[in-house]
Amino acid sequence: MREFLLYIKSGTEAVSSVQTYVTPSFSVDQSFWQERESCILHVIGKTSSLALAFSLREQINECIRKRLPERQKLTDGVVAELRHLAVGKVREASVLYGREMTDRERDDNQASWSSAFACMRQPPKDWFAWKVVEFRCEVHACQKDAESAGGYKIFSRHSLLRRTSLTADGASASVLGKLLDGRALLWEEIETLLCKRGVEVGDLAAVLHEGVLAGKVQWLPGVRMGVVSNWRRKRLVLFCERCGSEDRALQLIYCHSCEQGCAYCTICLGMGRSKCCTPYMLIASSASADIGREKGMGQPARLEWTGRYSQDQARAAERARRFVAGSHPGRSEFLIWAVCGAGKTELLFPSVAEALSSGGRVLIATPRKDVVLELAPRIRRVFPEARVIAVHGASAEKWEESDITIATTHQVMRYHRRFLLVVLDEADAFPYHNNPVLYRALARAAHETGKLLYLSATPPLYLQKRLVSNDRSKSASSAALPLASATHVLLPGRYHGKPLPVPEILTIKGLHKRVRTNRAVPQMTNAVKRSLDAERQVFVFVPRIDDVDVVLAYLQKAMPDRSEQMAGVHASDPLREEKVLAFRNSRYTLMVTTTILERGVTIPKSDVLVVGAEAPVFDEASLVQIAGRVGRSFDDTAGSVLFLQAERAAATKLAVRQISRMNQLAKKLAEAGGDNA
Amino acid sequence: MTIQSCVACGGHLNALQREGIVRKRARSLSSSAATYPVVYRLLQKLQVCAGCLEALPFIGEQICRQCGRDMCGEVICRDGLCRDCVDRASVPLSNNRSLLQYDEKGKSLVSLFKYRGDERLASFFSALLTIAIYRYHHTPSRFTCITTVPLHPTRLRERGFNQVELLAKALGHAIGVPVKTLLERTKATEKLSKQGGRVHREESMRDAFAWAQGAVLADLSSACSGGIARAKVKGGANSPVMSGTPLRVLLIDDIYTTGSTLRSCASTLRAHLGTVCEIYSLTIYR
Ligand SMILES: [Zn+2]
Ligand SMILES: [Zn+2]
Ligand SMILES: [Zn+2]
Ligand SMILES: [Zn+2]
């Protein structure tokens, strides 16, 4: 069991330096201080709950600040008091933990879906275990034969042991440094990583803690614990240091690792359990990507791309590059707002090259694994001398050193101050949309001087407000959208220069009932027939999973000769990948789908139909994305988009307005460009 | 996953849609009119949507008398035994019963619970176990105690929790039977995936367990119904002889794969408790 020791360090002369520390390896602290200053270390106690230790540290420090105002020495009497205080605080935490547990159980039992959980808890006398340690030692700086008060000979032998183990660990420590550079990992993840790499570190706790003391490594409990009090009562609060989730997102458990009350985070659980007793280690990147790069490995920034930009694309790409190259303090975010089919990936190339040439690493984060897999080879081709890795849950190259990392959004949580440029692809897509967890992770993955670049066809309002400077006197809808500012660039036209297909809206009373009861909806069947007869493929979007089969059956009945070419798919469909592939290969010509295909899948010569466009799941952004499936290729720039709704809805109107507005902007821009030429 | 969504697919829990399926399942799973209401309520509270509830692969009516395997499409040998059980000489385990077939969905749920450590699934799995006990043992209160396949202390510390223990506690609470720690692991057996073959597995499981130091099967007050004398057993001591109703121990595990783990536990129990004791096992999957 890992144990964490709490001690107070006070100077031998001055009293200004009274501070409390937590350590997994006290001997490291002893030799660390010995090399620096003479001081007295008063051990308070130990526990295996890191969250408890951190919480106590804070409370003791606060108490010291209050108790020792000016030039007052930390006497043994005060230390004894503080030991006593710690015991009291642990008891209080136990009571609050128990109360929180009871509160939650009461609420759980009110919810109809859970069974009695109370019986599963181990109800110990006290939820938290704390062992008081009464030990005091004096550390004399730089003395060859360290003699401490009370004649602790063990101490000097300890430091000797430390020395030898240090040299043994010296080599592995540097390997460790390289491996962990710019990462944020749970202790267990570090152990697994080292094991996989065959790196043997004699005393991992000691090596890591040395980094902590030297200020190179930051450590936190996976789940932080604190006490807040309002006028009525005190309450235990929990916070996941990895993903930032709080309160009920953290599950209270009796833990067999720390053998006491503990909590784990249910939000970032897919990445391993972040717990109260698990140290979470944050190692800021010390240098740039030069780490691990041998001499003569070439120029990672060399861009080998033969494609050509349209005038608009060139303008946008250059704007973004200048943002990356710029060194304005405070200007760390930039939005590329490019309509569906504007060719946004290509726009990134100059920005990526810029960051690489200044010696930094680049991260491209995208919500979905299939995009990661599709993007990686493309990026590899255009940056032939850069090391490009694809990082997702199951990828083997996850831990490799790289210049360009293409990762799913969850994996971003494993980085810490590592990248000079962080690109967020599809900034509006699940799971980023309004998700503080991932914005937090993104911001943390960027180096202190790093830049964040958002890419979106339908940026959410909060991003627009922050980055698209608008004329504030006008309402957002009537104001003309600025094409560019210091924090954004807008690309309203497609790469092929043709306008976006504008959706047609049809309101059909009783639409859903008609479909369910198999009554004729000629507007729907005719549209589908027209497309299929013209040898085009059709996306049919429906709001709910249940609707997939209903609408599919309806269409198959209406067009029995084509029923073999129709299929339906939804998020938890086990054959999802196979079906989408078959649709791409034109084995199927019609696909009924939920919003899962609203982005990503592009099929040349296709049309779109939305059945039930009034449903709340189709918001403005979603409908714009759906309409954006159509007319993207050079040889088929047109196509039809039909929104069928059972009643009038705001979102369909707004979507049409947004698309028309982009077309107008693109037209104006083209005219202006034409004038200039 | 919120508390209101299906644990298997994340979908919406629609009570109306579920009602019909809950009734149908409750009818087929309750062996008598007496257990219908409790099985009905357990199913009703099971956190899965209508579709997933309907798709749960319950083991059918025809099972191997010994190991609880679904005999649909299997060769039935003499005495209603399957071909694995018929070759086996006397087994310390009276029988095993399981509720569901271990399909892909089950595998992914178990790995969420067991390896990823999502303890919130404990209430779902323990409800399944409770349904299983009512399905196969009409009066669950006849068990003297419940016990589990123990985890090696090192593994337990690594993982931080014992998933089977959580289930046993919830089950014990639901049926009013005490949960006791009777066994401990003596060797840290390799992970299941690394163990090659059935024979090897059986071999590596032999002597993997021992009677837990200071374990007490039942104290006087809770085991007195049939005039049972003290059932206190000390580690290494010979088994006490009791009169009257036999002791019944229920061994709990999540999955019955080959049964070697459960059989090994049962032999250890038998060695210490003697033949007066009947040992049954119950698992969610098989
Ligand atoms: Zn978390
Ligand atoms: Zn713990
Ligand atoms: Zn479901
Ligand atoms: Zn059998």
Side-chain angles (χ1 to χ4, degrees):
Chain A
M1 195 159 39
R2 270 192 296 269
E3 282 194 317
F4 307 101
L5 193 87
L6 197 71
Y7 70 91
I8 306 173
K9 176 178 77 81
S10 69
T12 42
E13 320 272 301
V15 280
S16 53
S17 61
V18 179
Q19 265 293 340
T20 315
Y21 295 84
V22 177
T23 176
S25 181
F26 189 50
S27 55
V28 173
D29 295 67
Q30 286 175 312
S31 42
F32 180 84
W33 296 122
Q34 191 181 22
E35 281 159 23
R36 276 161 192 81
E37 55 185 294
S38 295
C39 54
I40 306 169
L41 308 179
H42 309 269
V43 178
I44 299 295
K46 60 181 180 180
T47 175
S48 52
S49 170
L50 188 58
L52 181 68
F54 266 63
S55 155
L56 288 175
R57 181 180 71 178
E58 207 164 292
Q59 298 180 64
I60 288 175
N61 274 338
E62 198 186 305
C63 186
I64 289 172
R65 269 196 305 278
K66 280 185 194 152
R67 285 288 322 259
L68 298 172
E70 291 287 324
R71 309 203 156 264
Q72 204 177 316
K73 209 160 178 179
L74 186 69
T75 59
D76 285 353
V78 176
V79 172
E81 258 176 62
L82 289 171
R83 279 198 190 103
H84 195 69
L85 174 88
V87 172
K89 290 294 177 189
V90 172
R91 201 171 296 137
E92 179 188 79
S94 282
V95 171
L96 294 176
Y97 186 96
R99 194 188 289 163
E100 178 72 21
M101 190 80 113
T102 328
D103 284 358
R104 290 185 181 196
E105 265 151 23
R106 194 195 51 224
D107 295 352
D108 272 4
N109 286 336
Q110 280 166 2
S112 49
W113 299 111
S114 56
S115 73
F117 232 88
C119 52
M120 293 183 204
R121 316 285 189 209
Q122 213 127 340
K125 287 198 306 291
D126 287 309
W127 281 105
F128 294 112
W130 173 254
K131 196 163 178 291
V132 177
V133 180
E134 289 186 35
F135 174 69
R136 172 185 189 275
C137 67
E138 269 175 45
V139 175
H140 301 288
C142 297
Q143 239 173 327
K144 285 282 181 279
D145 57 334
E147 253 182 329
S148 51
Y152 267 94
K153 285 188 183 134
I154 310 154
F155 171 30
S156 53
R157 208 176 68 215
H158 243 309
S159 57
L160 261 178
L161 275 174
R162 283 283 323 134
R163 287 274 150 66
T164 47
S165 75
L166 252 186
T167 37
D169 283 344
S172 55
S174 76
V175 177
L176 195 69
K178 269 185 191 173
L179 267 180
L180 301 182
D181 184 67
R183 298 192 195 269
L185 299 174
L186 298 177
W187 191 280
E188 283 78 7
E189 290 179 300
I190 296 178
E191 282 175 340
T192 322
L193 174 59
L194 293 180
C195 183
K196 268 188 194 153
R197 285 303 175 85
V199 179
E200 267 186 54
V201 178
D203 186 351
L204 183 62
V207 173
L208 287 175
H209 193 60
E210 233 150 51
V212 171
L213 287 169
K216 286 178 192 152
V217 177
Q218 193 191 348
W219 75 318
L220 297 164
V223 170
R224 186 179 73 203
M225 199 164 70
V227 175
V228 290
S229 46
N230 61 15
W231 61 281
R232 278 183 69 183
R233 64 181 209 168
K234 289 188 169 181
R235 208 171 70 83
L236 192 79
V237 285
L238 298 158
F239 179 84
C240 174
E241 290 285 5
R242 180 164 62 177
C243 77
S245 303
E246 43 192 13
D247 286 339
R248 299 270 164 129
L250 300 151
Q251 185 80 10
L252 301 181
I253 46 158
Y254 175 85
C255 171
H256 286 279
S257 301
C258 57
E259 295 181 351
Q260 56 194 304
C262 198
Y264 72 91
C265 176
T266 58
I267 304 299
C268 59
L269 182 62
M271 317 257 305
R273 299 220 290 183
S274 172
K275 295 193 290 185
C276 288
C277 55
T278 304
Y280 180 45
M281 315 299 297
L282 304 130
I283 301 108
S285 178
S286 53
S288 43
D290 290 341
I291 287 186
R293 175 167 283 283
E294 310 291 322
K295 280 233 157 61
M297 266 174 85
Q299 295 294 313
R302 191 169 68 79
L303 176 63
E304 207 171 79
W305 182 56
T306 50
R308 281 194 53 199
Y309 285 136
S310 72
Q311 206 174 3
D312 283 5
Q313 281 181 314
R315 175 185 62 95
E318 175 57 16
R319 284 262 177 189
R321 189 199 63 79
R322 262 188 254 160
F323 156 73
V324 174
S327 55
H328 296 280
R331 248 176 228 164
S332 56
E333 289 185 310
F334 191 88
L335 168 69
I336 300 182
W337 182 350
V339 294
C340 303
K344 60 187 165 85
T345 308
E346 292 78 14
L347 295 183
L348 288 178
F349 297 162
S351 302
V352 171
E354 182 69 45
L356 292 177
S357 67
S358 53
R361 300 182 179 110
V362 175
L363 170 69
I364 302 175
T366 172
R368 288 185 324 263
K369 181 183 149 190
D370 34 332
V371 180
V372 170
L373 295 176
E374 188 194 298
L375 213 52
R378 264 173 90 183
I379 299 289
R380 242 173 233 137
R381 266 199 304 278
V382 295
F383 290 101
E385 288 180 48
R387 291 164 296 178
V388 180
I389 58 166
V391 175
H392 52 85
S395 83
E397 37 188 30
K398 215 176 338 199
W399 306 109
E400 301 293 322
E401 179 56 58
S402 70
D403 301 301
I404 305 174
T405 303
I406 302 166
T408 50
T409 49
H410 280 91
Q411 297 296 328
V412 175
M413 273 191 266
R414 290 207 169 110
Y415 298 117
H416 185 66
R417 306 259 170 265
R418 184 177 173 93
F419 301 99
L420 209 54
L421 174 63
V422 174
V423 179
L424 175 56
D425 188 20
E426 305 198 35
D428 51 302
F430 174 87
Y432 278 111
H433 195 42
N434 227 349
N435 188 338
V437 170
L438 286 150
Y439 274 105
R440 179 187 142 99
L442 281 172
R444 197 144 83 175
H447 201 268
E448 260 147 7
T449 57
K451 306 279 172 113
L452 270 163
L453 191 59
Y454 302 111
L455 222 56
S456 175
T458 49
L461 269 182
Y462 55 84
L463 268 189
Q464 288 190 35
K465 273 190 187 140
R466 205 157 74 216
L467 301 175
V468 182
S469 16
N470 237 324
D471 191 342
R472 277 162 199 270
S473 61
K474 297 173 192 167
S475 77
S477 55
S478 64
L481 277 173
L483 284 169
S485 71
T487 50
H488 94 289
V489 63
L490 171 61
L491 197 58
R494 288 188 156 171
Y495 73 100
H496 53 51
K498 297 291 185 301
L500 301 157
V502 180
E504 185 188 346
I505 307 175
L506 274 178
T507 310
I508 300 169
K509 288 265 174 296
L511 172 67
H512 299 287
K513 207 171 174 196
R514 278 170 175 274
V515 172
R516 279 187 193 277
T517 52
N518 250 311
R519 275 188 288 155
V521 186
Q523 297 94 324
M524 178 161 128
T525 39
N526 290 345
V528 170
K529 270 198 184 115
R530 222 179 300 127
S531 298
L532 294 179
D533 288 346
E535 296 198 350
R536 300 175 68 79
Q537 284 176 258
V538 185
F539 288 90
V540 180
F541 286 91
V542 295
R544 286 163 295 263
I545 292 180
D546 306 352
D547 300 321
V548 173
D549 286 342
V550 176
V551 172
L552 180 63
Y554 179 91
L555 291 170
Q556 284 177 326
K557 209 160 202 176
M559 281 158 266
D561 52 321
R562 296 199 188 265
S563 69
E564 276 294 292
Q565 298 163 30
M566 299 178 180
V569 69
H570 56 85
S572 50
D573 190 335
L575 291 174
R576 175 179 164 177
E577 278 172 40
E578 290 82 353
K579 284 180 178 175
V580 172
L581 189 66
F583 189 45
R584 279 184 196 273
N585 298 340
S586 312
R587 163 67 188 82
Y588 295 130
T589 53
L590 180 143
M591 183 64 82
V592 184
T593 172
T594 54
T595 53
I596 54 157
L597 294 190
E598 85 176 23
R599 58 184 84 221
V601 179
T602 297
I603 288 178
K605 289 188 77 180
S606 60
D607 293 325
V608 160
L609 176 70
V610 181
V611 182
E614 79 288 349
V617 58
F618 297 120
D619 59 6
E620 181 186 344
S622 162
L623 289 168
V624 169
Q625 290 284 353
I626 285 172
R629 298 297 96 222
V630 168
R632 292 168 75 126
S633 60
F634 250 118
D635 42 340
D636 178 57
T637 56
S640 73
V641 181
L642 178 59
F643 293 162
L644 293 180
Q645 53 188 23
E647 57 198 63
R648 282 176 202 285
T652 46
K653 261 189 176 168
L654 287 171
V656 169
R657 189 191 291 170
Q658 190 185 130
I659 291 167
S660 312
R661 202 166 157 205
M662 288 298 162
N663 281 340
Q664 281 163 20
L665 273 172
K667 202 174 150 201
K668 256 189 221 160
L669 206 62
E671 284 164 8
D675 291 346
N676 287 349
Chain B
M1 179 168 48
T2 65
I3 200 104
Q4 296 297 339
S5 56
C6 170
V7 295
C9 75
H12 188 65
L13 296 169
N14 184 328
L16 232 78
Q17 284 177 7
R18 298 170 86 254
E19 182 58 26
I21 302 156
V22 167
R23 275 192 208 148
K24 195 174 82 189
R25 287 287 187 217
R27 228 172 290 132
S28 68
L29 292 175
S30 49
S31 44
S32 71
T35 56
Y36 177 83
V38 59
V39 172
Y40 172 85
R41 205 188 50 228
L42 284 164
L43 285 166
Q44 200 192 28
K45 286 208 158 197
L46 203 62
Q47 205 180 331
V48 281
C49 70
C52 292
L53 182 59
E54 180 130 57
L56 279 182
F58 287 100
I59 284 175
E61 286 303 307
Q62 212 170 49
I63 53 172
C64 167
R65 206 168 49 79
Q66 173 59 33
C67 70
R69 173 202 298 245
D70 194 325
M71 292 306 280
C72 181
E74 300 271 340
V75 188
I76 304 170
C77 304
R78 67 176 161 80
D79 302 332
L81 294 173
C82 73
R83 54 182 196 290
D84 286 342
C85 293
V86 80
D87 300 335
R88 221 168 258 133
S90 80
V91 178
L93 203 56
S94 296
N95 69 43
N96 173 73
R97 291 295 179 262
S98 310
L99 189 67
L100 300 170
Q101 308 211 19
Y102 197 36
D103 62 352
E104 285 308 312
K105 194 95 217 175
K107 271 179 200 161
S108 76
L109 276 174
V110 166
S111 87
L112 265 181
F113 180 44
K114 211 165 156 174
Y115 302 112
R116 211 184 253 189
D118 195 346
E119 292 184 33
R120 292 171 301 172
L121 280 167
S123 52
F124 169 71
F125 282 125
S126 62
L128 288 175
L129 262 185
T130 316
I131 293 170
I133 203 163
Y134 279 107
R135 183 179 188 189
Y136 293 112
H137 301 272
H138 308 223
T139 39
S141 54
R142 71 196 181 106
F143 286 104
T144 317
C145 77
I146 296 172
T147 194
T148 57
V149 176
L151 214 59
H152 194 270
T154 319
R155 292 271 295 145
L156 181 60
R157 188 158 296 156
E158 248 170 51
R159 253 202 225 169
F161 75 111
N162 180 346
Q163 80 282 357
V164 183
E165 190 196 3
L166 290 172
L167 300 184
K169 282 195 174 148
L171 176 67
H173 183 83
I175 62 174
V177 172
V179 180
K180 305 272 170 175
T181 306
L182 301 180
L183 299 168
E184 58 189 24
R185 217 164 188 125
T186 50
K187 43 184 176 184
T189 38
E190 302 158 68
K191 280 192 181 156
L192 292 190
S193 49
K194 284 183 190 163
Q195 299 174 344
R198 205 165 259 249
V199 179
H200 179 80
R201 212 176 125 75
E202 196 84 37
E203 203 58 48
S204 78
M205 271 300 155
R206 188 157 299 150
D207 308 321
F209 305 99
W211 185 262
Q213 285 289 311
V216 172
L217 180 61
D219 37 60
L220 217 56
S221 54
S222 72
C224 63
S225 57
I228 305 171
R230 282 167 60 88
K232 192 168 179 171
V233 184
K234 285 211 176 73
N238 230 339
S239 55
V241 182
M242 277 151 291
S243 57
T245 18
L247 291 168
R248 293 194 184 91
V249 177
L250 183 65
L251 251 171
I252 296 295
D253 206 355
D254 45 6
I255 310 151
Y256 181 106
T257 319
T258 63
S260 54
T261 314
L262 288 165
R263 278 191 297 277
S264 174
C265 286
S267 345
T268 311
L269 289 172
R270 169 60 51 88
H272 283 81
L273 296 170
T275 46
V276 285
C277 150
E278 289 174 8
I279 302 155
Y280 297 85
S281 68
L282 190 73
T283 72
I284 299 164
Y285 295 103
R286 102 132 281 175

